[in-house]
């Protein structure tokens, strides 16, 4: 029969075994890499996910992220080679490729961000300080970002860090300079607009003057043609009248009198201040148009 002391010893032994077993294993996540440190000295790096073993109580496990990490850099003022001041907003992407070197040189992600920010600002000033403002904002921006990444990656390699990418989010003039540039651009555009309006007004005046001149010429030519046609018509009319007059003078005289009556009696007012024996009224007194016979003189008294 077992004694109570034996049971207690078995329980204590089992408890110690469990503690030792729990202290001798650790798991590595897919997003992590693990550095095993024994008494302050790194002994190995585990990068594959899964269950691993270590010496209990004397080994320490330090997890380090192996994903691509973000580095947000605050806006910096950089002077280009043409002495233009630029406000540059950039960011970087990096990952820890050597956990042992990273642990020995920096030790934490926060310290790495601080160190990389300093290195990134220095690389920005070196690269952008060698080119002009136009080169940065328009011509060779992609190539400049590649140069900055290469320089930053070379300097970060000593900390066990690989720089994956560097991007310039914004590169522009300072606010006060931008306002001055915008004002100058507005003034220049206003001047160009006024010049275009003046040129347009001059062109419109030229076109209008040419059109007026052509209209005057056309009207003059039309009037000349009309006068010539009217003259030809009048000549033809006079010829016909002369021909008709030669054939029948009495009928021609009658026709002209009828035309004069038609024209003169067209108005509502038919009053005429003429002598009764006027030539105008000769067809009123005699249908043949002959003037009335003069009255015979009275015989003298005896």
């Amino acid at each position: 029969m077992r004694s109570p002391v034996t049971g207690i010893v078995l329980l204590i032994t089992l408890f110690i075994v469990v503690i030792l077993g729990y202290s001798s294993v650790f798991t590595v996540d897919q997003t992590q890499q693990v550095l095993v440190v024994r008494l302050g000295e790194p002994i190995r790096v585990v990068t594959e996910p899964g269950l691993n073993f270590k010496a209990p109580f004397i080994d320490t496990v330090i997890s380090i992220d192996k994903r691509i990490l973000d580095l947000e850099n605050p806006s910096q003022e950089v002077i280009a080679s043409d002495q233009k001041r630029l406000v540059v907003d950039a960011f970087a992407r990096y990952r820890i490729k050597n956990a042992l070197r990273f642990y020995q040189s920096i030790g934490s992600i926060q310290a790495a961000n601080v160190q990389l920010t300093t290195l990134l600002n220095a690389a920005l000033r070196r690269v952008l300080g060698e080119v002009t403002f136009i080169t940065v904002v328009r011509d060779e921006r992609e190539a400049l970002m590649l140069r900055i990444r290469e320089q930053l990656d070379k300097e970060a390699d000593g900390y066990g860090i690989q720089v994956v990418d560097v991007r310039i989010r914004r590169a522009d003039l300072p606010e006060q300079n931008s306002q001055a540039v915008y004002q100058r651009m507005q003034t220049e555009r206003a001047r160009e607009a006024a010049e275009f309006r003046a040129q347009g007004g001059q062109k419109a005046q030229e076109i209008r003057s040419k059109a007026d001149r052509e209209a005057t010429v056309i009207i003059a030519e039309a009037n000349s043609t009309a006068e010539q046609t009217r003259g030809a018509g009048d000549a033809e009319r006079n010829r016909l009248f002369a021909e008709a007059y030669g054939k029948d003078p009495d009928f021609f005289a009658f026709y002209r009198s009828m035309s004069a009556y038609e024209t003169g009696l067209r108005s509502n007012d038919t009053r005429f201040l003429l002598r009764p024996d006027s030539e105008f009224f000769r067809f009123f007194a005699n249908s043949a148009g002959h003037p009335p016979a003069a009255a015979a003189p009275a015989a003298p008294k005896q």
Side-chain angles (χ1 to χ4, degrees):
M1 184 176 181
R2 295 181 178 177
S3 65
V5 176
T6 304
I8 294 173
V9 171
L10 289 175
L11 288 176
I12 293 174
T13 303
L14 181 62
F15 180 72
I16 293 174
V17 170
V18 171
I19 291 178
L20 290 176
Y22 182 78
S23 300
S24 62
V25 298
F26 65 93
T27 58
V28 179
D29 191 80
Q30 292 180 348
T31 63
Q32 303 289 326
Q33 51 187 328
V34 171
L35 178 64
V36 179
V37 180
R38 178 173 299 170
L39 301 177
E41 293 294 330
I43 58 173
R44 63 192 175 100
V45 177
V46 182
T47 58
E48 296 298 326
L51 185 65
N52 292 271
F53 295 92
K54 64 181 181 66
F57 303 115
I58 59 174
D59 287 351
T60 303
V61 175
I62 300 175
S63 297
I64 299 174
D65 203 325
K66 68 177 182 180
R67 294 173 296 181
I68 295 178
L69 304 175
D70 298 334
L71 175 65
E72 292 293 336
N73 191 48
S75 299
Q76 300 291 323
E77 189 170 289
V78 179
I79 300 178
S81 63
D82 54 359
Q83 302 306 310
K84 294 287 185 63
R85 293 182 177 273
L86 293 173
V87 176
V88 180
D89 184 9
F91 65 91
R93 300 286 183 266
Y94 71 95
R95 67 182 184 88
I96 300 169
K97 67 176 182 179
N98 191 324
L100 177 59
R101 189 181 301 171
F102 176 81
Y103 174 75
Q104 291 175 335
S105 59
I106 294 182
S108 67
I109 300 295
Q110 292 77 14
N113 287 338
V114 173
Q115 185 64 29
L116 287 177
T117 298
T118 303
L119 297 177
L120 176 58
N121 291 335
L124 285 172
R125 288 188 170 86
R126 280 196 305 269
V127 175
L128 301 185
E130 298 174 354
V131 296
T132 62
F133 169 76
I134 297 299
T135 303
V136 176
V137 300
R138 188 187 65 186
D139 295 342
E140 300 179 9
R141 190 163 180 165
E142 192 71 26
L144 294 175
M145 290 188 294
L146 179 60
R147 287 177 56 190
I148 295 171
R149 188 200 70 79
E150 291 174 351
Q151 291 191 17
L152 182 61
D153 181 61
K154 184 177 180 180
E155 294 176 346
D157 184 68
Y159 303 104
I161 295 174
Q162 178 186 9
V163 178
V164 177
D165 192 17
V166 172
R167 291 287 165 178
I168 297 177
R169 184 183 290 115
R170 184 178 69 93
D172 204 351
L173 294 171
E175 184 64 24
Q176 60 273 19
N177 293 12
S178 298
Q179 293 299 328
V181 171
Y182 295 152
Q183 186 65 32
R184 186 165 62 252
M185 292 173 62
Q186 290 176 354
T187 303
E188 182 66 19
R189 296 300 177 270
R191 185 191 63 78
E192 291 179 357
E195 183 178 351
F196 290 151
R197 290 193 193 96
Q199 293 176 355
Q202 180 181 359
K203 192 67 176 177
Q205 185 62 34
E206 293 176 357
I207 295 173
R208 194 177 296 112
S209 300
K210 182 178 179 181
D212 292 342
R213 184 170 61 254
E214 292 178 354
T216 302
V217 172
I218 292 172
I219 293 173
E221 291 177 351
N223 289 334
S224 176
T225 303
E227 292 296 330
Q228 293 175 5
T229 304
R230 189 177 297 110
D234 290 343
E236 182 66 16
R237 183 192 63 180
N238 293 335
R239 187 188 65 80
L240 294 175
F241 281 168
E243 184 179 348
Y245 181 77
K247 291 182 178 181
D248 192 347
D250 292 337
F251 176 78
F252 184 74
F254 176 76
Y255 175 77
R256 291 190 63 183
S257 297
M258 291 301 103
S259 298
Y261 293 158
E262 182 181 6
T263 303
L265 298 175
R266 184 175 296 173
S267 177
N268 294 328
D269 189 3
T270 58
R271 290 175 296 179
F272 292 91
L273 299 177
L274 297 173
R275 289 171 55 86
D277 57 350
S278 172
E279 181 71 17
F280 184 75
F281 294 109
R282 61 178 178 161
F283 283 99
F284 279 83
N286 191 321
S287 61
H290 300 297
K301 294 181 179 181
Q302 297 295 328

